[in-house]
Amino acid sequence: MNIAFFLLPKGEVVCLPHDATLRQALERMEYHRYTAVPLIDENGGYAGTVTEGDLLWYMKNRPDLTFEQTNRIKLTDVPQRIKNDTVRIDANMEDLISLAKAQNYVPVVDDMNRFIGIVRRSEIIDYCEKIILQNDSSRPEVNLA
């Protein structure tokens, strides 16, 4: 199975430029009700993932920071606790499933490492569920009585 089948294209992914502000991240994540969004660099490459936790920990560790000041803080100054590993569009399903165990989504890049979209873990789970159900229905019924 080609992973392009599962791809949510970049145009449909809520993402932020890697140099967006803390306030922009908070507002976009609140509006879309997301807990994490991909960051894109100036060349269109995947630059990381910013999470609610990253933003909260940053603010917690700066008690003098007011909400009004968040528009002056760049995301490049906010430490990211995770960086979702990427896959290339020509990767196999095993690579995708392996990454999805630890990531809510898997960023997908082209052969020039430009971000082209994501594959959500829920899509992979749905795919695996279909395979399991197909395999279960193709087995003959065993009567143990």
Side-chain angles (χ1 to χ4, degrees):
M1 171 73 59
N2 187 323
I3 70 168
F5 176 76
F6 302 101
L7 184 71
L8 182 64
K10 178 181 179 178
E12 297 176 30
V13 176
V14 174
C15 43
L16 289 163
H18 76 293
D19 60 352
T21 66
L22 178 58
R23 186 174 195 147
Q24 289 171 319
L26 288 166
E27 289 174 351
R28 180 140 329 151
M29 292 168 79
E30 177 187 27
Y31 179 81
H32 293 284
R33 304 186 68 72
Y34 288 151
T35 59
V37 293
L39 301 175
I40 309 303
D41 67 23
E42 61 276 349
N43 298 317
Y46 171 72
T49 294
V50 66
T51 67
E52 284 179 328
D54 297 334
L55 304 178
L56 290 170
W57 285 112
Y58 183 86
M59 293 173 71
K60 177 212 170 270
N61 292 324
R62 285 156 187 83
D64 56 318
L65 179 66
T66 66
F67 184 73
E68 289 74 29
Q69 296 169 330
T70 58
N71 65 334
R72 290 187 237 145
I73 307 297
K74 297 285 187 184
L75 290 180
T76 51
D77 297 326
V78 176
Q80 298 169 24
R81 66 181 171 89
I82 61 168
K83 182 171 182 180
N84 288 355
D85 290 326
T86 62
V87 295
R88 288 176 37 134
I89 190 63
D90 58 357
N92 61 43
M93 280 302 294
E94 290 81 16
D95 294 334
L96 192 60
I97 290 170
S98 176
L99 290 175
K101 290 189 298 187
Q103 302 175 184
N104 289 333
Y105 64 87
V106 179
V108 182
V109 296
D110 65 13
D111 56 353
M112 304 217 13
N113 286 320
R114 289 181 302 241
F115 178 77
I116 59 173
I118 64 171
V119 176
R120 293 179 279 204
R121 180 171 32 203
S122 60
E123 298 290 328
I124 298 167
I125 291 171
D126 288 345
Y127 168 77
C128 293
E129 177 186 41
K130 287 177 188 172
I131 290 174
I132 290 169
L133 292 175
Q134 285 174 348
N135 287 341
D136 284 350
S137 66
S138 65
R139 289 187 191 148
E141 192 79 19
V142 176
N143 188 352
L144 299 176

